[in-house]
């Protein structure tokens, strides 16, 4: 079993608090992604899990055992680094074989010349070479075992780094932005391979990234971090459609979610940017709220209704299947971005006046502190979903 | 896609790696010189080359003179006119006398043993110390590094007297140990290695820890091999300075059988040669020879970077 529990982890460098009481549990075999902008503390959390850094307070457990006092090599975790961190003076084969040599050969057997003469060294070395070759074949780098890392391309180095982690069958795989040094095409390919690797090995993966596409496609659950705090931990589709926090809603999604400032009126209506939305949120009249509308939640409204936004087209971006329409709202200094299906919006020209409306169910409301204001039925649905995840 | 991408990268690499190392070094050293000349206007290039040439000549003249004198008979040495080649070849006589009249092979063996022991011990001490200063977090690290820098500033001569007394107390004066012990810890080595180790990314150290290497294993299996250019540069520095060292051996040993080359030469001059400079210069040439050969052999390591490929 290799479930992971972070319990109130705190970490600071000097006066800067990097992690503020972070608690997170990861189930055995789960693919958990720590997602956040650079400097949010996600890598630090991963390094604390690996034992490469020590937390100032809190406990880390792997497989229900606290590992706080245990050195990295005793934790049965393997890590793939952003820079790959291959040993440049060793061949690919030695790079991948090193973790096995360190574990299976004793100090005497590892000595350069004497070691080879000792009993058992030869057999163990042969076994290690066979395992390295097998892993390398599985990753498609079997023909590169005699090369040095400097002679490999970025994608090949990445595979070697994964192979070095894989070869010793760790209980937990840690990946720190492993794809960010690859070009876009290779990144998509390797993303698929990492997903397959997780399905094949079935062990726990903790994956750190700032790339939401990676987080969304790979993960069972995503933990969104910002400024050393966990904002939300949920499956990717819920992080996207049902964010707990304004910052989560703004971080996830491209183009960014439209955020408009509104005022609650009588009967739960919200006046925002010239429109009046039927929100059904239970706030008292006069409360300031932020209204979040994803670009794809907007659709063309042939007639100007009370719930629609009116403005002139500023910019149209064609993406083939979709197009992004940037709308300058009438009488406002905010801009609305809508993602429309290309065939539904055939001729939109710049300067044209458009009306856009949104499905009321897909509008998100946030209070002044950035917390989500849920409608009653949404609150119920969210708690049911959470219960299901726990089960 | 990945195959086509990797293709050119591999061929480019194999082109630089494949040739014989020595030749590769020569090929690699030449272009920058040409490029430097090309980048300048003609007068600037001429001035630059003139300055380089004059400096080079100033450095080489004593050396050339030494070799020239070692080939000449006594009569020609003090002649007013200078020619590199002697009118009468006297090389065999000079070199035979140099090798037979003084125990030159013994001096050179002493020099070799002392330099080797000093170098090995220095690396054994400096590498772990430099690793601790570069990569480990502990209280007083900056203070310790400051002390290393201070150590770098103190001339060896200042310490000669305390070291002599220390050697006397240990009872090791006039032994090989006396020649070695002041140089066991080299602040310069610690400083140089630390600078190199600092340039190695932390991720490599982290990866090594996760792979199960102990801290000392990280030093010897990862850091030192990756910092090989630094190790070789330091080795050249260390061997040259201790091979040529006259000051400390003069204080530490009196036994002719323990004398390193430079001290031996001095003894040779006083006792045997007198004003007979031919054999003296022959002996000097013989003593410089191993250094020159070693330096030329190790030169390519300065050029060949080893850290390529660790990090994209």
């Amino acid at each position: 079993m290799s479930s992971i529990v972070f319990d109130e982890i705190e970490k600071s460098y000097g006066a800067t608090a990097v992690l503020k009481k972070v608690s997170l549990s990861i189930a055995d075999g789960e693919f958990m992604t720590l997602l956040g902008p650079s400097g949010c503390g996600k890598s630090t959390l991963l390094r604390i899990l690996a034992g490469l850094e020590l937390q100032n307070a809190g406990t880390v457990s792997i497989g229900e055992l606290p590992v706080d006092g245990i050195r990295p090599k005793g934790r049965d975790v393997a890590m793939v680094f952003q820079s790959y961190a291959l040993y440049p003076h060793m061949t690919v084969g030695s790079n991948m074989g090193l973790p096995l040599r360190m574990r299976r050969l004793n100090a005497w057997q590892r000595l350069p010349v004497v070691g080879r003469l000792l009993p058992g060294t030869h057999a163990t070395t042969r076994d290690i070479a066979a395992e390295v070759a097998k892993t390398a074949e599985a990753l498609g780098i079997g023909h590169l075992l005699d090369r040095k890392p400097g002679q490999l391309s970025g994608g090949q180095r990445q595979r070697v780094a994964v192979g070095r982690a894989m070869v010793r069958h760790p209980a937990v795989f840690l990946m720190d932005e492993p794809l960010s040094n690859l070009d876009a095409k290779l990144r998509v390919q390797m993303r698929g391979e990492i997903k397959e690797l997780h399905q094949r090995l079935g062990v726990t993966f903790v994956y750190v990234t700032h790339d939401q596409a990676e987080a969304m496609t790979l993960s069972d659950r995503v933990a969104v971090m910002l400024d050393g705090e966990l904002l939300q931990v949920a499956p990717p589709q819920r992080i996207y459609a049902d964010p707990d926090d304004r910052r989560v809603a703004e971080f996830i999604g491209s183009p960014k979610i439209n955020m408009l400032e509104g005022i609650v009126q009588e009967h739960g209506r919200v006046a925002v940017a010239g429109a009046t939305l039927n929100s059904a949120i239970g706030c008292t009249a006069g409360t300031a709220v932020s209204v979040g509308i994803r670009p794809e939640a907007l659709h063309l409204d042939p007639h100007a209704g009370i719930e629609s936004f009116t403005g002139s087209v500023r910019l149209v971006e064609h993406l083939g299947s979709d197009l992004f329409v940037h709308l300058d709202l009438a009488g406002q200094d905010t801009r609305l971005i809508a993602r429309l299906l290309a065939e539904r919006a055939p001729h939109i020209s710049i300067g044209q006046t458009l009306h856009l409306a949104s499905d009321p169910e897909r509008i998100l409301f946030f209070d002044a502190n950035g917390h989500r204001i849920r409608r009653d039925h949404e609150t119920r649905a969210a708690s049911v979903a959470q219960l299901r995840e726990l089960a | 896609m990945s195959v086509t991408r990797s293709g050119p990268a591999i061929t480019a690499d194999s082109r630089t790696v494949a040739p014989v190392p020595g030749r590769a070094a020569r090929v690699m050293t030449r272009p920058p010189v040409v490029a430097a000349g090309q980048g300048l206007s003609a007068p600037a290039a001429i001035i630059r080359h003139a300055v380089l040439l004059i400096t080079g000549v100033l450095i080489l003249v004593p050396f050339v003179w030494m070799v020239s004198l070692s080939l000449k008979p006594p009569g020609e040495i003090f002649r007013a006119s200078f020619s590199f080649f002697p009118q009468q070849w006297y090389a065999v006589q000079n070199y035979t006398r140099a090798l037979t009249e003084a125990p030159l092979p013994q001096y050179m063996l002493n020099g070799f043993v002392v330099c080797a022991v000093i170098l090995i011990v220095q690396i054994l001490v400096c590498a772990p110390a430099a690793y601790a200063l570069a990569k480990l977090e502990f209280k007083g690290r900056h203070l310790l590094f400051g002390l290393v820098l201070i150590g770098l500033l103190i001339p060896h001569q200042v310490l000669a007297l305390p070291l002599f007394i220390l050697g006397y107390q240990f009872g090791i004066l006039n032994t090989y140990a006396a020649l070695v012990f002041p140089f066991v810890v080299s602040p310069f080595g610690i400083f140089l290695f630390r600078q190199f180790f600092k340039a190695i990314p932390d991720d490599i150290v982290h990866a090594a820890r996760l792979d199960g290497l102990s801290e000392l294993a990280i030093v010897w299996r990862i850091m030192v091999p990756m910092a090989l250019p630094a190790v070789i540069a330091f080795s050249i520095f260390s061997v040259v300075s201790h091979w040529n060292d006259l000051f400390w051996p003069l204080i530490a040993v009196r036994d002719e059988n323990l004398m390193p080359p430079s001290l031996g030469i001095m003894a040779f001059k006083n006792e045997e040669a007198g004003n007979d400079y031919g054999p003296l210069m022959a002996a000097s040439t013989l003593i410089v020879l191993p250094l020159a050969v070693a330096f030329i052999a190790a030169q390519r390591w300065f050029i060949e970077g080893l850290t390529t490929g660790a990090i994209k």
Side-chain angles (χ1 to χ4, degrees), chain A residues 151, chain B residues 7-20 24 27-28:
Chain A
Q151 295 163 281
Chain B
I10 290 167
T11 48
D13 273 328
S14 56
R15 230 181 292 135
T16 52
V17 170
V20 182
V27 170
M28 286 161 80

PDB file of all heavy atoms in Angstrom, chain A residues 151, chain B residues 7-20 24 27-28:
ATOM      1  N   GLN A 151      24.553  12.823 -25.811  1.00  0.00           N
ATOM      2  CA  GLN A 151      24.356  12.448 -27.210  1.00  0.00           C
ATOM      3  C   GLN A 151      22.885  12.181 -27.529  1.00  0.00           C
ATOM      4  O   GLN A 151      22.579  11.695 -28.602  1.00  0.00           O
ATOM      5  CB  GLN A 151      25.178  11.190 -27.526  1.00  0.00           C
ATOM      6  CG  GLN A 151      26.674  11.407 -27.426  1.00  0.00           C
ATOM      7  CD  GLN A 151      27.415  10.096 -27.331  1.00  0.00           C
ATOM      8  OE1 GLN A 151      27.480   9.490 -26.265  1.00  0.00           O
ATOM      9  NE2 GLN A 151      27.956   9.636 -28.431  1.00  0.00           N
TER      10      GLN A 151
ATOM     11  N   GLY B   7      17.843  12.799 -35.057  1.00  0.00           N
ATOM     12  CA  GLY B   7      18.873  12.472 -36.040  1.00  0.00           C
ATOM     13  C   GLY B   7      20.024  13.456 -36.096  1.00  0.00           C
ATOM     14  O   GLY B   7      21.159  13.092 -35.806  1.00  0.00           O
ATOM     15  N   PRO B   8      19.764  14.713 -36.434  1.00  0.00           N
ATOM     16  CA  PRO B   8      20.861  15.666 -36.576  1.00  0.00           C
ATOM     17  C   PRO B   8      21.645  15.854 -35.287  1.00  0.00           C
ATOM     18  O   PRO B   8      22.865  15.986 -35.322  1.00  0.00           O
ATOM     19  CB  PRO B   8      20.153  16.971 -36.958  1.00  0.00           C
ATOM     20  CG  PRO B   8      18.751  16.603 -37.292  1.00  0.00           C
ATOM     21  CD  PRO B   8      18.461  15.302 -36.679  1.00  0.00           C
ATOM     22  N   ALA B   9      20.918  15.811 -34.166  1.00  0.00           N
ATOM     23  CA  ALA B   9      21.597  16.017 -32.878  1.00  0.00           C
ATOM     24  C   ALA B   9      22.669  14.954 -32.672  1.00  0.00           C
ATOM     25  O   ALA B   9      23.788  15.242 -32.276  1.00  0.00           O
ATOM     26  CB  ALA B   9      20.592  15.972 -31.743  1.00  0.00           C
ATOM     27  N   ILE B  10      22.323  13.705 -32.989  1.00  0.00           N
ATOM     28  CA  ILE B  10      23.269  12.618 -32.751  1.00  0.00           C
ATOM     29  C   ILE B  10      24.477  12.754 -33.670  1.00  0.00           C
ATOM     30  O   ILE B  10      25.615  12.675 -33.236  1.00  0.00           O
ATOM     31  CB  ILE B  10      22.569  11.264 -32.957  1.00  0.00           C
ATOM     32  CG1 ILE B  10      21.583  11.046 -31.843  1.00  0.00           C
ATOM     33  CG2 ILE B  10      23.581  10.137 -33.004  1.00  0.00           C
ATOM     34  CD1 ILE B  10      20.630   9.938 -32.084  1.00  0.00           C
ATOM     35  N   THR B  11      24.205  13.019 -34.965  1.00  0.00           N
ATOM     36  CA  THR B  11      25.344  13.107 -35.869  1.00  0.00           C
ATOM     37  C   THR B  11      26.245  14.269 -35.485  1.00  0.00           C
ATOM     38  O   THR B  11      27.463  14.155 -35.528  1.00  0.00           O
ATOM     39  CB  THR B  11      24.881  13.279 -37.326  1.00  0.00           C
ATOM     40  OG1 THR B  11      23.910  14.309 -37.343  1.00  0.00           O
ATOM     41  CG2 THR B  11      24.313  12.012 -37.896  1.00  0.00           C
ATOM     42  N   ALA B  12      25.633  15.371 -35.059  1.00  0.00           N
ATOM     43  CA  ALA B  12      26.450  16.514 -34.663  1.00  0.00           C
ATOM     44  C   ALA B  12      27.348  16.149 -33.499  1.00  0.00           C
ATOM     45  O   ALA B  12      28.534  16.460 -33.485  1.00  0.00           O
ATOM     46  CB  ALA B  12      25.551  17.686 -34.278  1.00  0.00           C
ATOM     47  N   ASP B  13      26.771  15.415 -32.558  1.00  0.00           N
ATOM     48  CA  ASP B  13      27.557  15.020 -31.391  1.00  0.00           C
ATOM     49  C   ASP B  13      28.672  14.055 -31.772  1.00  0.00           C
ATOM     50  O   ASP B  13      29.803  14.189 -31.348  1.00  0.00           O
ATOM     51  CB  ASP B  13      26.653  14.378 -30.342  1.00  0.00           C
ATOM     52  CG  ASP B  13      26.048  15.434 -29.439  1.00  0.00           C
ATOM     53  OD1 ASP B  13      26.726  16.448 -29.205  1.00  0.00           O
ATOM     54  OD2 ASP B  13      24.923  15.252 -29.004  1.00  0.00           O
ATOM     55  N   SER B  14      28.306  13.042 -32.610  1.00  0.00           N
ATOM     56  CA  SER B  14      29.287  12.023 -32.903  1.00  0.00           C
ATOM     57  C   SER B  14      30.439  12.619 -33.714  1.00  0.00           C
ATOM     58  O   SER B  14      31.546  12.133 -33.664  1.00  0.00           O
ATOM     59  CB  SER B  14      28.633  10.864 -33.656  1.00  0.00           C
ATOM     60  OG  SER B  14      28.004  11.366 -34.813  1.00  0.00           O
ATOM     61  N   ARG B  15      30.144  13.691 -34.436  1.00  0.00           N
ATOM     62  CA  ARG B  15      31.217  14.305 -35.198  1.00  0.00           C
ATOM     63  C   ARG B  15      32.271  14.895 -34.269  1.00  0.00           C
ATOM     64  O   ARG B  15      33.458  14.795 -34.515  1.00  0.00           O
ATOM     65  CB  ARG B  15      30.650  15.412 -36.098  1.00  0.00           C
ATOM     66  CG  ARG B  15      31.122  15.280 -37.531  1.00  0.00           C
ATOM     67  CD  ARG B  15      30.555  16.415 -38.372  1.00  0.00           C
ATOM     68  NE  ARG B  15      29.131  16.307 -38.522  1.00  0.00           N
ATOM     69  CZ  ARG B  15      28.311  17.354 -38.390  1.00  0.00           C
ATOM     70  NH1 ARG B  15      28.775  18.539 -38.063  1.00  0.00           N
ATOM     71  NH2 ARG B  15      27.016  17.204 -38.564  1.00  0.00           N
ATOM     72  N   THR B  16      31.824  15.497 -33.186  1.00  0.00           N
ATOM     73  CA  THR B  16      32.810  16.092 -32.283  1.00  0.00           C
ATOM     74  C   THR B  16      33.446  15.048 -31.377  1.00  0.00           C
ATOM     75  O   THR B  16      34.559  15.225 -30.936  1.00  0.00           O
ATOM     76  CB  THR B  16      32.158  17.177 -31.406  1.00  0.00           C
ATOM     77  OG1 THR B  16      31.010  16.606 -30.793  1.00  0.00           O
ATOM     78  CG2 THR B  16      31.770  18.379 -32.222  1.00  0.00           C
ATOM     79  N   VAL B  17      32.739  13.947 -31.136  1.00  0.00           N
ATOM     80  CA  VAL B  17      33.267  12.961 -30.199  1.00  0.00           C
ATOM     81  C   VAL B  17      34.186  11.974 -30.888  1.00  0.00           C
ATOM     82  O   VAL B  17      35.187  11.554 -30.338  1.00  0.00           O
ATOM     83  CB  VAL B  17      32.105  12.220 -29.498  1.00  0.00           C
ATOM     84  CG1 VAL B  17      32.626  11.034 -28.721  1.00  0.00           C
ATOM     85  CG2 VAL B  17      31.370  13.167 -28.590  1.00  0.00           C
ATOM     86  N   ALA B  18      33.841  11.655 -32.154  1.00  0.00           N
ATOM     87  CA  ALA B  18      34.516  10.554 -32.813  1.00  0.00           C
ATOM     88  C   ALA B  18      36.029  10.682 -33.000  1.00  0.00           C
ATOM     89  O   ALA B  18      36.744   9.732 -32.722  1.00  0.00           O
ATOM     90  CB  ALA B  18      33.841  10.288 -34.161  1.00  0.00           C
ATOM     91  N   PRO B  19      36.567  11.827 -33.432  1.00  0.00           N
ATOM     92  CA  PRO B  19      37.997  11.832 -33.777  1.00  0.00           C
ATOM     93  C   PRO B  19      38.891  11.538 -32.579  1.00  0.00           C
ATOM     94  O   PRO B  19      38.462  11.610 -31.437  1.00  0.00           O
ATOM     95  CB  PRO B  19      38.233  13.264 -34.273  1.00  0.00           C
ATOM     96  CG  PRO B  19      36.911  13.854 -34.493  1.00  0.00           C
ATOM     97  CD  PRO B  19      35.972  13.135 -33.613  1.00  0.00           C
ATOM     98  N   VAL B  20      40.142  11.220 -32.905  1.00  0.00           N
ATOM     99  CA  VAL B  20      41.136  10.959 -31.859  1.00  0.00           C
ATOM    100  C   VAL B  20      41.190  12.177 -30.937  1.00  0.00           C
ATOM    101  O   VAL B  20      41.235  13.308 -31.423  1.00  0.00           O
ATOM    102  CB  VAL B  20      42.519  10.742 -32.506  1.00  0.00           C
ATOM    103  CG1 VAL B  20      43.557  10.412 -31.455  1.00  0.00           C
ATOM    104  CG2 VAL B  20      42.435   9.665 -33.579  1.00  0.00           C
ATOM    105  N   ALA B  24      41.245  16.083 -31.972  1.00  0.00           N
ATOM    106  CA  ALA B  24      40.041  16.878 -31.737  1.00  0.00           C
ATOM    107  C   ALA B  24      40.406  18.165 -31.013  1.00  0.00           C
ATOM    108  O   ALA B  24      39.937  19.239 -31.361  1.00  0.00           O
ATOM    109  CB  ALA B  24      39.044  16.076 -30.910  1.00  0.00           C
ATOM    110  N   VAL B  27      41.998  20.558 -33.378  1.00  0.00           N
ATOM    111  CA  VAL B  27      41.006  21.123 -34.292  1.00  0.00           C
ATOM    112  C   VAL B  27      40.181  22.172 -33.568  1.00  0.00           C
ATOM    113  O   VAL B  27      39.882  23.224 -34.094  1.00  0.00           O
ATOM    114  CB  VAL B  27      40.103  19.995 -34.840  1.00  0.00           C
ATOM    115  CG1 VAL B  27      38.922  20.611 -35.594  1.00  0.00           C
ATOM    116  CG2 VAL B  27      40.905  19.100 -35.757  1.00  0.00           C
ATOM    117  N   MET B  28      39.833  21.840 -32.294  1.00  0.00           N
ATOM    118  CA  MET B  28      38.947  22.743 -31.570  1.00  0.00           C
ATOM    119  C   MET B  28      39.651  24.020 -31.141  1.00  0.00           C
ATOM    120  O   MET B  28      39.026  25.056 -30.991  1.00  0.00           O
ATOM    121  CB  MET B  28      38.364  22.042 -30.342  1.00  0.00           C
ATOM    122  CG  MET B  28      37.297  21.029 -30.707  1.00  0.00           C
ATOM    123  SD  MET B  28      37.034  19.875 -29.404  1.00  0.00           S
ATOM    124  CE  MET B  28      36.007  20.804 -28.313  1.00  0.00           C
TER     125      MET B  28
END
